[in-house]
Amino acid sequence: MMQYHIKDLKLSKEGKKRIEWASLRMPVLNILAKRYEDNKPLKGVKIGACLHVTTETANLVISLKKAGAKIRLCASNPLSTQDDVASSLVKDYGIEVFAIKGEDKKTYYQHIDRVLELEPQITLDDGADLVATIHRSYKKSISWLPWAGTEETTTGVVRLRSLERQNKLLYPIIAVNDALTKFMFDNRYGTGQSTLDGILRATNFLIAGTNFVVCGYGWCGRGIAYRARGLGARVIVVETDPLKALEACMDGFWVMPIKDACKIGDIFVTATGNIDVIRKEHFLLMKDKVLLANAGHFNVEIDIEGLESMSTSKRKIKNLIDEYVLEYKGKKKRLYLLGEGRLVNLACAEGHPAQVMDMSFANQFLSCIYIKNNYPALQKKVYKVPEEIDREVASLKLEEMGINIDKMTPSQKRYMQSWELGT
Amino acid sequence: MMQYHIKDLKLSKEGKKRIEWASLRMPVLNILAKRYEDNKPLKGVKIGACLHVTTETANLVISLKKAGAKIRLCASNPLSTQDDVASSLVKDYGIEVFAIKGEDKKTYYQHIDRVLELEPQITLDDGADLVATIHRSYKKSISWLPWAGTEETTTGVVRLRSLERQNKLLYPIIAVNDALTKFMFDNRYGTGQSTLDGILRATNFLIAGTNFVVCGYGWCGRGIAYRARGLGARVIVVETDPLKALEACMDGFWVMPIKDACKIGDIFVTATGNIDVIRKEHFLLMKDKVLLANAGHFNVEIDIEGLESMSTSKRKIKNLIDEYVLEYKGKKKRLYLLGEGRLVNLACAEGHPAQVMDMSFANQFLSCIYIKNNYPALQKKVYKVPEEIDREVASLKLEEMGINIDKMTPSQKRYMQSWELGT
Amino acid sequence: MMQYHIKDLKLSKEGKKRIEWASLRMPVLNILAKRYEDNKPLKGVKIGACLHVTTETANLVISLKKAGAKIRLCASNPLSTQDDVASSLVKDYGIEVFAIKGEDKKTYYQHIDRVLELEPQITLDDGADLVATIHRSYKKSISWLPWAGTEETTTGVVRLRSLERQNKLLYPIIAVNDALTKFMFDNRYGTGQSTLDGILRATNFLIAGTNFVVCGYGWCGRGIAYRARGLGARVIVVETDPLKALEACMDGFWVMPIKDACKIGDIFVTATGNIDVIRKEHFLLMKDKVLLANAGHFNVEIDIEGLESMSTSKRKIKNLIDEYVLEYKGKKKRLYLLGEGRLVNLACAEGHPAQVMDMSFANQFLSCIYIKNNYPALQKKVYKVPEEIDREVASLKLEEMGINIDKMTPSQKRYMQSWELGT
Amino acid sequence: MMQYHIKDLKLSKEGKKRIEWASLRMPVLNILAKRYEDNKPLKGVKIGACLHVTTETANLVISLKKAGAKIRLCASNPLSTQDDVASSLVKDYGIEVFAIKGEDKKTYYQHIDRVLELEPQITLDDGADLVATIHRSYKKSISWLPWAGTEETTTGVVRLRSLERQNKLLYPIIAVNDALTKFMFDNRYGTGQSTLDGILRATNFLIAGTNFVVCGYGWCGRGIAYRARGLGARVIVVETDPLKALEACMDGFWVMPIKDACKIGDIFVTATGNIDVIRKEHFLLMKDKVLLANAGHFNVEIDIEGLESMSTSKRKIKNLIDEYVLEYKGKKKRLYLLGEGRLVNLACAEGHPAQVMDMSFANQFLSCIYIKNNYPALQKKVYKVPEEIDREVASLKLEEMGINIDKMTPSQKRYMQSWELGT
């Protein structure tokens, strides 16, 4: 009998339409699903997925099911679940889902446990909460281990590489995040656009003419910086890495320490993967009426507890906007936190557009098949996505966009291999 | 006794919060409202307003009421009304509103008639439907005329100038649209951002990497073109005016006839103020799965009737997206029309951000006072906003943004007046 | 017998090739020259021209000569003459030129006098030095007046409008500068690119990553600002007009008073048309090793005398770069002035590209014919270029670029004239 | 006795000033030169350098000499030598130079031989011609081998990696090109700007409004693409690698095969590192009056021989521009090749700005010291620049630009190492 824990089965109709709408924009995944529908290479394979429960994820798990897998899905963030999608997955596609938008922390982890009850052979993670739970529970409540897993996001990969360095990683992981067709597009274009989209939906704020502070100039941060500039903002980048800081500077952005940025910023977005990037001492320096948002995976980049503790009042100004009032040196300042400091693109908008998830999830899909075929040879390491997968995804995407490119001629190929030819 | 026709008084609570949220971003209007609250220069003046019923418009009519005016408000577009705002205006601010989102054409014009029953001394228009109705009804059902009116948008001004040229204009109009602090900001930055915002909210479509066709390179069109480019699109401009076409070309956009653009575009947005910009012969040329949206004032720029007549099927894919299926030369193509072809930034998003409306409406506010004080001297013409109003709005806005600028020194002023100094 | 005063007739060979090279990029002027070569509408008309003696100006005067005019040409700036071009004009095209690069002020005005000795019926000015001399000399050394004149540049138009307001303008002027096909392209794209080009040629300075200060946000200033941003700079705009300041701010630039900009700028460019924009008190605030350049018509925008008076040393670091050393609060700072503060795009590069001059000079050419045909009806006013000329130039240019645009359909034209159609 | 072969010793005065001017913009190298001037870590080390003989290279070899090295310098490209710089290096700094601008191929290789006569312990290469000559001559005319060498550019590294793969590399090489502080800045910002600079100096062509074709979307290609777009061009990218093609597409550029680009391009720039990118069949497709330039290391990317063979005439239109006339299908077309197809930024402008070379050459400088101290441990491999060198260069550069950045707090550092913390 199907098991699930979702908000309301009756939401399925709307969810189904939205899943189909996303499907229209996910041609690469569709091609792959069709290719493997008949011979079902994942037949009988148990997959546990801890991903944002969105229309795009729905298309991934549906495709995996078509390829023969048995799947359980929980949310990788308590606020990111789209309840109608969860409902349709259960009702229309027969997939076991454990996810409710706004679930509390306890429920969140119970849902992860329900996925682990499946004893999955492959884990799909977005932020490493599933694999972290396995690591915490192994030899306590858990006695089995998956063949291997995949990890979707930078934050998760950082955590897993840390485990790997300490020789504590219990099973192999493929870092889908590091596929060129993933991080180049998803982190940069996807997060870039959807972060701004989240801010617009929450606030309808005019970006042009604002001082827009981006903390972190990794792939996500630079995506956000370029999109904010594209909407007319003056962008200020805050970085701790001298190489990235220098690059931001050469890309035409203003670079300064967070404490200087605080005095002039109108909008602040964190995308560092680190904790406490904006802290108590920084809130005090800010202007009245600024917006605060986080685009990093966890809601730890803005010190919300600190903000709460120093506020003289707090109220919900509208859905997804909390107003915090501070007083400092006799001046009242109102700070507006979006989406409770959680991923603003998921909390306030719909997450990555289907077109970028198409490529990420095509990598996920092919990686699952790769794991099925190769897991005995894999070690307890974090692996890159095999280059042939990455290249296949890129070529399928270009083809779908109707873009032709040249091939090297034989003599050009020879030249690129040679060393004698010269000036 | 208060008269009104709105959707539901119970929506007022949410509406009030949203009106206040917008108010935070409308400092110039707030300064003016405060300045005139006590001596009430508009005391007893009857104002009839036909404007998009949004949170920003709410702040305008509240400010006018504070300055003493008696106001009736109807919608300037059947789809643009925010019902919660209408509700709060009635309940919390005692303003008579006649507007319901999605009202049919008949109700729309009945609402205009209800506003005219007030026999307003000043009319505020956005698209000239109020003034047009007066012109149609005068000496039939109407025997009075306003002192003067204001017009907010390009489309309305074009219509009124046409009337003026034919010597048929019945009373003076101030073209607020033509204030520098209006069209420079509102048409360009406001429409630019909110059009993209509307597309994103409706579709969550990745703009980067798309071929984005903008029809019309007026102030709205170029705002859209720059924002689409800022989000990573390849932008194609369609124009009929050689000067504008040349400018678009020099600004780095691709310029081509609509029939060529149709073959490669992924997203089409019209912003011409004209009819039938995208017609039957063009739909046939399009690729499968394109998006169609209109950012012009009226829903006449895309020939929707034509589209409907040639479609083999039509269905609502999700809220605000209609799918039309065509067949041409044996190929099926699906076109997705956003917001029924009405202004995409209002139908699918929240219209202009409060920050731009702040300036437009500060011009509106000061123009009403100007009309009150000067109407006997005005002729049946379309007037520009007096330059001193425009300049005052700009200075207040800069001040509020915390931006200082230099003043010319006396010798610099002298130099700018002189002609003798030279090489 | 031909009269002229140029540097060296032997330079003509190089000049001729360069004139031909420019001609390749001036197709609109070429089409017009060809069109009027046979019936010679300017037959016997005496034209006095005070223009930058460049390859593009050469093509204009050659075209005017083909149309029958008798021409004398002097320089409109002592540093802008290209001696090889002057030489070829004399030798290869039989045009009387009085211009030597680097001529002193006295020679400069003697050359203007030599042009006036022709007693021209039409004057062509770039900065109004010719017309100013006529105004100063009239009824003293001069007893005749031209039919009319043209003025190429903003600075000149400002001076002439000032004369007009004082009712002191002695003969009609057509402000070619105000043609859309002139100022939209020439001032913005031409000055924008060539100013950066001048800085690069003089300094080979990396623009990316610099703080680039643009004084003035008129058409030239914004052209420079966009190009500097396009090369990777962080651009700071200095303005005195609140409307322009606000626009710069909304366009994503930093706006601040000059004294604040001085503390952080790496490169300063003036484009205001005013005097003493950067003054003694500003030099003191600057960082070590900054670059100073002027893109305004006259070398009065940077207070060079002031700079000279406060410097402890001055030397020519290389051609077109002067180093000024200041000491302030015990700190030595070196400021580098490009091209002696004269128009940096002419002093350090080759001025506007031929493609933009093509349009300006097509306007000049057609305006001369217009003057010939209409001068008896013209009053002592500053006139706009007749719209039919502007439009013809635009259409010829688009055609030459291979760009087709749509025409309005009859029903679209009707709609644009109408007022009854509505919501 | 000093040995050298240069154009003219009398050019030294101009050269010295220009070397000093570049020195002003090379603060990182200056800091390092000063740091090592006293203890002379390179005392007695023989260095053979094959680099573009520019003002920046001058500063590098002067710094190396100050650190104790004995240096011989020849050109890495026959057209890139600045004769005044060569002269000053000999006369003012006592450095042995063998380089003359425009030297023929035979002289070019003789100059390389003269450098090798020094029997250098360290080789500095830019394009691998020095190391290639050693490889060709070893055991023939050469019996010694250097300790190690450095390679400055992508092309050279590709050649050396090819040698390494074939186990034919005779001594260790440090790929300075691959330092982040090199390729991120030099290849992208340096080549980007200076390529456009070269085109402008050669042609004074208006970039805005042109169709600008960039072949290759590596670091150089994308630098060029961004700068061309920044100057107002519509940019078309040609690529053979699907991943890079997809990235260019998502960055908002048009991507198409070279044969399609040929039909619409106004300007073509190659930056692929490959041969025959633009070939006979492509020239035929081009429009009249297009510009052709190469920004890749060798002049092999445009098939110049092919172009020559099919032209009906060829002439030098002006310095650095050759006109080729083709006839195809009865139509005459004129193609303009800049700088004979050699690196356009060196042939037509001054190469990379000093500010980027500052970082590349700081890497070179520190790599030489590293080789001196570590060569016995190095194998016959291509090495990366040690990370500590890269990071030191970045920090010095930021410091010099006056940019402060934050440091991670201890708890942030801990968090980045941890894996347990989660949702």
Side-chain angles (χ1 to χ4, degrees), chain B residues 263-295:
Chain B
K263 291 172 201 159
I264 56 176
D266 297 302
I267 304 175
F268 296 81
V269 179
T270 51
T272 67
N274 209 332
I275 53 167
D276 293 341
V277 177
I278 306 183
R279 302 183 294 271
K280 285 173 124 179
E281 67 257 41
H282 304 136
F283 299 129
L284 290 177
L285 300 170
M286 291 181 180
K287 301 192 294 187
D288 185 26
K289 300 195 285 183
V290 306
L291 303 182
L292 304 172
N294 169 45

Side-chain angles (χ1 to χ4, degrees), chain C residues 90-205:
Chain C
V90 170
K91 184 159 177 186
D92 303 312
Y93 300 97
I95 287 166
E96 300 184 339
V97 182
F98 300 84
I100 294 173
K101 180 162 186 169
E103 61 197 10
D104 61 21
K105 205 163 172 177
K106 194 179 148 199
T107 311
Y108 177 78
Y109 280 105
Q110 281 175 344
H111 285 162
I112 289 179
D113 289 340
R114 300 300 311 276
V115 167
L116 295 181
E117 283 171 12
L118 179 68
E119 302 191 359
Q121 289 147 328
I122 298 175
T123 58
L124 311 187
D125 249 317
D126 186 321
D129 276 356
L130 202 57
V131 73
T133 304
I134 293 175
H135 279 70
R136 270 193 300 268
S137 309
Y138 187 61
K139 295 199 177 155
K140 293 169 204 157
S141 53
I142 288 183
S143 56
W144 50 271
L145 283 175
W147 298 337
T150 67
E151 169 54 46
E152 172 76 8
T153 199
T154 312
T155 298
V157 171
V158 168
R159 297 170 83 194
L160 293 164
R161 289 249 158 79
S162 162
L163 270 180
E164 184 189 23
R165 268 196 306 278
Q166 304 168 46
N167 287 316
K168 290 183 180 166
L169 190 65
L170 293 173
Y171 65 94
I173 301 287
I174 294 181
V176 167
N177 178 73
D178 296 353
L180 282 171
T181 45
K182 198 279 181 182
F183 78 83
M184 275 201 332
F185 299 92
D186 177 309
N187 295 18
R188 195 161 22 156
Y189 310 111
T191 305
Q193 175 175 303
S194 60
T195 294
L196 270 296
D197 186 13
I199 294 171
L200 291 182
R201 293 196 201 201
T203 68
N204 197 30
F205 202 95

Side-chain angles (χ1 to χ4, degrees), chain A residues 105-123:
Chain A
K105 206 163 171 175
K106 195 179 145 200
T107 311
Y108 177 77
Y109 280 105
Q110 281 175 344
H111 285 162
I112 288 180
D113 288 341
R114 299 301 310 275
V115 167
L116 295 182
E117 284 170 12
L118 179 68
E119 301 192 1
Q121 288 147 329
I122 297 175
T123 57

Side-chain angles (χ1 to χ4, degrees), chain D residues 98-326:
Chain D
F98 300 85
I100 293 172
K101 180 163 187 168
E103 61 197 11
D104 60 20
K105 207 164 172 175
K106 192 179 150 203
T107 311
Y108 176 77
Y109 280 104
Q110 281 174 343
H111 285 162
I112 287 178
D113 288 340
R114 297 302 311 274
V115 167
L116 294 181
E117 284 171 12
L118 178 67
E119 302 192 0
Q121 289 146 329
I122 299 175
T123 58
L124 309 186
D125 247 316
D126 185 322
D129 276 357
L130 203 54
V131 73
T133 305
I134 292 176
H135 279 70
R136 272 193 297 267
S137 310
Y138 188 61
K139 294 198 179 159
K140 294 168 202 156
S141 53
I142 287 183
S143 56
W144 49 272
L145 282 176
W147 298 337
T150 67
E151 170 55 47
E152 173 74 11
T153 200
T154 311
T155 299
V157 171
V158 168
R159 297 170 82 195
L160 292 165
R161 288 250 159 77
S162 163
L163 271 181
E164 185 189 22
R165 268 196 306 276
Q166 303 168 47
N167 287 316
K168 291 184 182 165
L169 188 65
L170 292 173
Y171 64 96
I173 300 287
I174 295 181
V176 167
N177 179 71
D178 295 354
L180 283 171
T181 45
K182 198 281 180 179
F183 79 83
M184 273 200 335
F185 299 94
D186 178 308
N187 294 19
R188 193 160 26 154
Y189 310 111
T191 305
Q193 174 175 303
S194 59
T195 295
L196 271 297
D197 187 13
I199 294 170
L200 291 181
R201 294 197 201 200
T203 66
N204 196 30
F205 202 95
L206 182 69
I207 305 298
T210 60
N211 297 337
F212 194 108
V213 180
V214 180
C215 300
Y217 199 63
W219 288 107
C220 289
R222 68 189 64 192
I224 297 166
Y226 271 91
R227 290 304 164 248
R229 176 151 77 185
L231 290 173
R234 290 177 291 281
V235 176
I236 296 159
V237 169
V238 173
E239 248 302 339
T240 56
D241 177 338
L243 285 160
K244 285 182 187 157
L246 193 49
E247 199 178 0
C249 175
M250 300 302 283
D251 286 343
F253 298 109
W254 295 82
V255 176
M256 58 184 77
I258 182 69
K259 72 177 187 338
D260 294 342
C262 282
K263 292 173 199 156
I264 56 176
D266 296 304
I267 304 175
F268 296 80
V269 179
T270 51
T272 67
N274 208 332
I275 54 166
D276 293 341
V277 176
I278 306 183
R279 300 184 293 272
K280 286 173 123 180
E281 67 256 41
H282 305 136
F283 299 129
L284 290 176
L285 301 171
M286 291 183 180
K287 301 192 294 185
D288 185 26
K289 298 195 286 184
V290 307
L291 303 182
L292 304 172
N294 168 46
H297 188 80
F298 296 115
N299 66 338
V300 296
E301 309 211 1
I302 299 168
D303 177 11
I304 301 170
E305 272 180 48
L307 177 59
E308 202 127 11
S309 73
M310 66 204 289
S311 295
T312 56
S313 80
K314 172 188 170 184
R315 62 168 180 153
K316 186 162 287 301
I317 194 80
K318 52 175 278 201
N319 191 23
L320 297 169
I321 305 184
D322 289 315
E323 181 187 74
Y324 292 85
V325 182
L326 310 185

Side-chain angles (χ1 to χ4, degrees), chain C residues 215-234:
Chain C
C215 300
Y217 199 65
W219 288 106
C220 289
R222 69 189 65 194
I224 298 166
Y226 272 90
R227 289 304 164 249
R229 176 152 75 186
L231 290 173
R234 289 176 292 279

Side-chain angles (χ1 to χ4, degrees), chain C residues 263-280:
Chain C
K263 292 172 199 158
I264 55 176
D266 296 305
I267 304 175
F268 296 80
V269 179
T270 52
T272 67
N274 209 330
I275 54 166
D276 294 341
V277 177
I278 306 184
R279 301 184 295 271
K280 286 172 121 181

